[in-house]
Amino acid sequence: MESVDGKLDLEFGEDIPLSSSKSSKKGLHPLEFETSSTIPREVPNSHLLKKLRVSPFRSIHTVVIKAKINVLLPFGPLAILLHYLTDKHGWIFFLSLLGITPLAERLGYATEQLAFYTGPTVGGLLNATFGNATEMIISIYALKIGMIRVVQQSLLGSILSNMLLVLGCAFFTGGVVHHPKIQSFDKSAAVMNSGLLLMAVMGITFPAVLHFTHTEVHRGKSELSLSRFSSGIMLVAYASYLYFQLRSQHNLYDPIDGEVVNTVEESDDEEAPEITYWEAISWLAILTLWVSVLSGYLVDAIQGASDSWNMPVAFISVILLPIVGNAAEHASAIMFAVKDKLDISLGVAIGSSTQISMFVIPFCVIVGWMMGQPMDLNFQLFETATLFVTVLVVAFMLQEGTSNYFKGLMLVLCYLIVAASFFVHNDVKEDEN
């Protein structure tokens, strides 16, 4: 009889070694793209075979029915129904917001499942791509209909939400649960992400300064050209960062692995994939399509919701819209902080902000260029100043490599100040600048 350490050929044509010991490598989190090991995943035990050879009905149960957050799914079709039956844009926007929230979480889940089969390197790239898929889809649809300010402000809001609210709640809950212990994390990863965020601030600041100092060589054209050039540079920098992170310096995040190795007591269900390779791909396609559909109704209702609620569009774009894309990050960051895995919480919150600032925003500038839309990096002075101060505050909070509940409370309170500022902020339209 073959030993337990033999290989089992699964139905999707991939050899996965079986080991009598517990797996020493936990699967990627859906919104975490920081991977540090090139060692293939090990299957915990033969129970995985039962999970992989499931029927479509089992797959639907796992993805759609099992997750409690999916109780919000019916609000999506209800929003579409109200769109054609009434003109209550406030309700349409609110229901669309609720309907997209579980889709964003399930997108992350499907990406996590796919990462089990692709390996850490490709899995990390998948997480970098789909981690902020909801924000990208909403932004591209808004770009298509010329709502450039909504794109800029919603992406800015995602960065602010991740850096202040998500990270703050993670620090606070982790600090309270593990008090009086001082939680620690790897400073090298935090410093690298802070550097990239400051580079993004530089790319966003210069077009705004150029515009408002009226020092353009060609008025109305120079800032757009500078934005497109800077976007290309930022995309190159982000691609280099991914290569550096996933290949050249794959041991940079060993503290995360060190924590994971010590979690051998965790259940096999957390270690093993729950759906097959092709099921994960199919669900990614289905969920992305459904998010695209709902995003259209969501964006169309923004102005109407602003009028009916007597609420600034800037507040809706910067504060309310990011709640959709960041719901999964918020829950995940808190969960890992409670488990004393602060490196992963930091990767979820700060890593997502880095993705948006260095990849999604420049990508939208390039896509807008292809669409003939004058999307640029001039986010206006108020928004640029808010981002600059936020990055500085978070960088100072991370420089010691430790966290406690007071740091988390400070970050959350800073976010409340930002939210109040945008609630009373009267956004200046581009044609008035």
Side-chain angles (χ1 to χ4, degrees), residues 306 310-317 422-427:
S306 174
N310 194 24
M311 186 179 294
V313 174
F315 181 82
I316 293 177
S317 301
F422 277 98
F423 189 78
V424 298
H425 173 56
N426 183 25
D427 187 40

Side-chain angles (χ1 to χ4, degrees), residues 155-175:
L155 293 178
L156 172 71
S158 292
I159 299 174
L160 300 178
S161 174
N162 277 305
M163 296 184 69
L164 296 177
L165 183 61
V166 175
L167 185 63
C169 289
F171 279 4
F172 181 79
T173 54

Side-chain angles (χ1 to χ4, degrees), residues 368-396:
W369 189 6
M370 295 177 180
M371 291 180 176
Q373 297 287 353
M375 169 74 181
D376 57 21
L377 295 177
N378 178 14
F379 279 40
Q380 307 299 320
L381 286 180
F382 184 83
E383 288 84 348
T384 303
T386 304
L387 177 62
F388 177 67
V389 174
T390 297
V391 172
L392 286 183
V393 169
V394 174
F396 276 110

Side-chain angles (χ1 to χ4, degrees), residues 172-195:
F172 181 79
T173 54
V176 170
V177 171
H178 295 281
H179 182 75
K181 174 185 176 182
I182 300 297
Q183 292 182 293
S184 61
F185 52 86
D186 182 23
K187 288 196 296 185
S188 59
V191 169
M192 180 178 296
N193 279 281
S194 298

